[in-house]
Amino acid sequence: MDEIREKIFELADEKYKEFHSGLCPNTNNIVGVRVPVLRNYSKELVKGNFRNYLANAKDEYYEEVMLQGMVIGLAKMELEERLEYITKFVPKIDNWAVCDVSCAGFKFAKKYQSEVWKFLKPYLESNKEFEIRFGVVMLLDFYITEEYIDKVLEILNKIQYEGYYVKMAVAWAISVCYIKFPKETFKLLQENSLDDFTYNKALQKIIESYRVSEEEKKTIRAMKRTNKE
């Protein structure tokens, strides 16, 4: 796997490293490879013996972990095998970027929605920050649909976790729910169990969306919770 690490350093961009490191605080192992460049490299790896790669892949650098997520999403395999790889991969996630980029690549979830829904349940009930975020971002990417919207809103409302990256993911997911299903999501905003930070952040993200009318934004803005202290 040394040749893969060498390739990652070869693809690095020092300016991007400085920029992206600022977006991922407490992540000190970033080499600096842009996501599209890393994704192109993952396509090369998938053409080879990806199983051997995944069995021996190193985790020291941020890009090494992200590359594994990309390969798991791209490689051709049966659902059961893919879920086994994801089960081993999720504990390696320790920042929002690896989580979100990997989730976006797990497009197989569209085809196997009921099976993946069951698979995600333990993560959504976890007590680990990035396991929960993984579950929430998967819902956000693949389950904000007519069939699942009520279940998604119910789950988002129940998540109680103090970690910043969970709160931000829940707020982001609720804002996307509102954009796609405003009536259902508005009901949740009117009556929910969300903490003030998550609730207000969800409102903020809805207001920032260009897909929400000015009239709706005015209503949403008036719903903000104020500090009672």
Side-chain angles (χ1 to χ4, degrees):
M1 294 298 121
D2 288 340
E3 68 274 13
I4 291 176
R5 180 172 291 177
E6 288 173 9
K7 182 68 174 180
I8 287 171
F9 275 89
E10 182 185 316
L11 296 171
D13 179 332
E14 190 62 32
K15 288 184 178 179
Y16 179 72
K17 176 183 177 180
E18 292 177 18
F19 166 74
H20 196 58
S21 294
L23 298 178
C24 297
N26 303 317
T27 303
N28 303 313
N29 60 346
I30 294 174
V31 177
V33 183
R34 295 176 183 272
V35 171
V37 174
L38 201 61
R39 190 171 283 121
N40 283 337
Y41 183 40
S42 73
K43 292 175 182 177
E44 291 182 31
L45 291 177
V46 166
K47 294 175 184 176
N49 189 341
F50 69 85
R51 291 181 177 88
N52 180 61
Y53 158 69
L54 290 173
N56 297 286
K58 296 181 179 180
D59 306 329
E60 185 178 344
Y61 292 99
Y62 164 94
E63 284 85 355
E64 289 177 325
V65 178
M66 184 175 280
L67 194 60
Q68 292 172 52
M70 290 177 171
V71 169
I72 291 167
L74 279 172
K76 291 184 178 180
M77 64 182 94
E78 295 299 320
L79 176 64
E80 185 176 349
E81 183 182 11
R82 200 184 305 274
L83 294 181
E84 286 177 6
Y85 277 123
I86 292 175
T87 299
K88 295 174 185 175
F89 173 73
V90 172
K92 300 179 183 185
I93 299 173
D94 62 2
N95 64 79
W96 67 266
V98 168
C99 176
D100 298 4
V101 170
S102 299
C103 288
F106 294 158
K107 298 184 188 301
F108 68 95
K110 295 178 182 177
K111 183 178 179 181
Y112 300 100
Q113 285 212 301
S114 62
E115 294 91 341
V116 176
W117 179 269
K118 293 174 185 175
F119 175 77
L120 293 176
K121 189 175 181 183
Y123 295 105
L124 292 161
E125 296 172 351
S126 172
N127 60 359
K128 296 179 181 178
E129 184 165 21
F130 287 104
E131 288 191 359
I132 305 172
R133 185 176 175 106
F134 164 73
V136 172
V137 176
M138 285 294 289
L139 295 187
L140 187 162
D141 283 340
F142 304 110
Y143 289 91
I144 302 180
T145 64
E146 190 169 345
E147 181 181 354
Y148 283 94
I149 182 62
D150 291 336
K151 293 178 182 178
V152 169
L153 290 171
E154 182 181 355
I155 287 172
L156 296 176
N157 188 41
K158 286 181 179 178
I159 292 175
Q160 301 288 331
Y161 188 85
E162 283 304 306
Y164 174 80
Y165 292 102
V166 169
K167 292 177 184 287
M168 291 298 288
V170 171
W172 176 24
I174 290 172
S175 71
V176 176
C177 287
Y178 182 87
I179 290 164
K180 294 185 177 181
F181 296 94
K183 291 181 180 178
E184 292 87 344
T185 310
F186 189 73
K187 290 179 183 178
L188 175 71
L189 294 175
Q190 287 180 305
E191 187 174 346
N192 58 74
S193 303
L194 301 170
D195 63 87
D196 290 352
F197 177 89
T198 305
Y199 173 81
N200 284 337
K201 187 60 68 171
L203 298 188
Q204 178 188 328
K205 289 180 175 294
I206 292 168
I207 292 166
E208 289 172 352
S209 173
Y210 67 90
R211 295 164 67 184
V212 177
S213 71
E214 287 304 318
E215 187 177 343
E216 287 176 276
K217 288 180 182 181
K218 185 177 180 180
T219 300
I220 296 296
R221 201 173 279 116
M223 295 171 71
K224 183 179 178 180
R225 294 177 189 163
T226 54
N227 195 327
K228 297 175 183 176
E229 295 180 5

